Amino acid sequence: MYTNIRGKDKYISLFVLLTVPTILMILFVVYPLINLIYLSFVSWDGIHSVKKFVGIYNFQKFFTDGGVALSSLKNNALYFFFHLIFIPIEIFLAYQLDKGIRNGNFYKILILVPYIVNGVAVSYMFSSVFSPMIGAVDMTFKVLGIESSIRWLSDPAIVNFVLVAVSIWRFSGFHIILFYVALQSISRELYDAAKIDGAGEMNQFRYIVIPGIILVIELVLFMNMRGAMQQFDIPFVMTGGGPGFASTTFTLHTLNTAFLYNDYGLASAMAVLLIIMIIGFSKIQDMIVRARVH
């Protein structure tokens, strides 16, 4: 009988533990997603209650009349590729931390600080740094006797590279810590065995380190893809997407479409396409990485 009571308690506990998260997921993930998909097939200004079903018109409008939206994807691609280029550097720095460099704990805290700081605060800080009047960058050039006429945040040819640099500054430290934690899980005996077999540093890195942290690499690649496609706070605060639409990202344009142009149907279609692109590109990315590693 005592065993039966314990068995019932176990089932009740499991029911409660699974029911609450399931309800929360339905309320805050499943329902909004279904509603988003529904809105992508209607014409709605977000103000009036009338929603007119228009089928796939919003998707057609995006591909045939989505000049700014399509060009904004190029800006997202810049964030993606520059962060991608930095991933090997991040792995290398994590590897150096794992080897136990001097003052390693200090560097771990230092590189994680940018990620802890709120994204809006980071954006305001760098707006000041690149200000043409009182910016630290131009002031540094003046101290060095160099006359700078570079418009960091108002030149369409430069602005996206500045914003990408801010994004890298903010997120790279977090990636390094993730790689460092993964490296800590690799058994030291593997390194010792490899050294006995005559494996050099490069071979240890290729055959022990990379396979040992492959799951974290995939995680960081997914975060890179998702972060690049959803980039919003840095361009919104630092440039507002300008000059013109030069630094507008896909997410920023989606929000402008909904809240500035009152086209909720098109904005919802863009959001649905964004989800599809993130899932699709992430799958392709994982397949490429796994094929190269294995």
Side-chain angles (χ1 to χ4, degrees), residues 228-292:
M229 295 302 292
Q230 294 183 333
Q231 188 60 246
F232 169 73
D233 51 359
I234 292 174
F236 178 73
V237 174
M238 291 186 67
T239 63
F245 295 103
S247 63
T248 298
T249 57
F250 191 80
T251 303
L252 180 54
H253 186 62
T254 301
L255 292 174
N256 284 339
T257 302
F259 300 111
L260 198 61
Y261 310 135
N262 291 333
D263 194 342
Y264 279 70
L266 178 58
S268 299
M270 291 167 67
V272 170
L273 289 171
L274 180 64
I275 294 171
I276 294 170
M277 284 189 284
I278 289 174
I279 294 173
F281 288 143
S282 297
K283 287 292 180 188
I284 294 170
Q285 196 170 241
D286 284 350
M287 288 168 61
I288 293 171
V289 171
R290 284 187 177 276
R292 291 188 68 85

Side-chain angles (χ1 to χ4, degrees), residues 4-41:
N4 289 337
I5 292 172
R6 284 194 64 183
K8 280 186 180 177
D9 288 345
K10 182 182 173 184
Y11 284 120
I12 292 170
S13 300
L14 277 174
F15 178 77
V16 172
L17 288 172
L18 291 175
T19 301
V20 174
T22 302
I23 292 172
L24 290 175
M25 191 176 75
I26 291 171
L27 284 175
F28 297 109
V29 178
V30 177
Y31 171 72
L33 180 62
I34 293 171
N35 194 44
L36 177 72
I37 294 171
Y38 162 69
L39 289 177
S40 68
F41 291 102

Side-chain angles (χ1 to χ4, degrees), residues 79 118-132 135-137 151-155 158-171 231-244 246-249 252:
Y79 287 92
N118 180 276
V120 175
V122 168
S123 304
Y124 273 118
M125 181 181 76
F126 276 98
S127 294
S128 172
V129 168
F130 288 103
S131 167
V137 175
R151 295 173 296 142
W152 301 103
L153 299 178
S154 57
D155 186 337
I158 295 173
V159 62
N160 281 305
F161 295 102
V162 174
L163 300 182
V164 169
V166 174
S167 179
I168 289 172
W169 179 86
R170 186 174 176 225
F171 291 104
Q231 188 60 246
F232 169 73
D233 51 359
I234 292 174
F236 178 73
V237 174
M238 291 186 67
T239 63
S247 63
T248 298
T249 57
L252 180 54

Side-chain angles (χ1 to χ4, degrees), residues 189-205:
E189 292 175 357
L190 286 174
Y191 293 111
D192 295 337
K195 285 176 186 171
I196 292 171
D197 289 341
E201 193 87 8
M202 284 300 294
N203 281 332
Q204 290 179 39
F205 195 82

Side-chain angles (χ1 to χ4, degrees), residues 53-165:
F53 182 76
V54 293
I56 61 170
Y57 171 76
N58 288 322
F59 294 94
Q60 288 177 328
K61 186 178 179 183
F62 169 78
F63 286 108
T64 56
D65 195 26
V68 176
L70 291 173
S71 66
S72 67
L73 284 172
K74 295 177 186 174
N75 296 335
N76 290 88
L78 272 182
Y79 287 92
F80 172 76
F81 282 113
F82 276 96
H83 273 284
L84 190 66
I85 290 169
F86 261 76
I87 286 176
I89 299 170
E90 292 162 357
I91 294 174
F92 174 76
L93 293 174
Y95 185 58
Q96 296 305 313
L97 282 174
D98 183 56
K99 286 170 67 178
I101 61 173
R102 195 175 179 183
N103 300 320
N105 288 332
F106 169 74
Y107 291 120
K108 288 172 206 167
I109 296 170
L110 188 68
I111 60 179
L112 191 59
V113 167
Y115 183 74
I116 296 171
V117 179
N118 180 276
V120 175
V122 168
S123 304
Y124 273 118
M125 181 181 76
F126 276 98
S127 294
S128 172
V129 168
F130 288 103
S131 167
M133 302 298 292
I134 56 169
V137 175
D138 284 349
M139 292 291 283
T140 303
F141 280 134
K142 282 182 183 176
V143 170
L144 295 173
I146 303 170
E147 282 297 325
S148 171
S149 59
I150 300 173
R151 295 173 296 142
W152 301 103
L153 299 178
S154 57
D155 186 337
I158 295 173
V159 62
N160 281 305
F161 295 102
V162 174
L163 300 182
V164 169

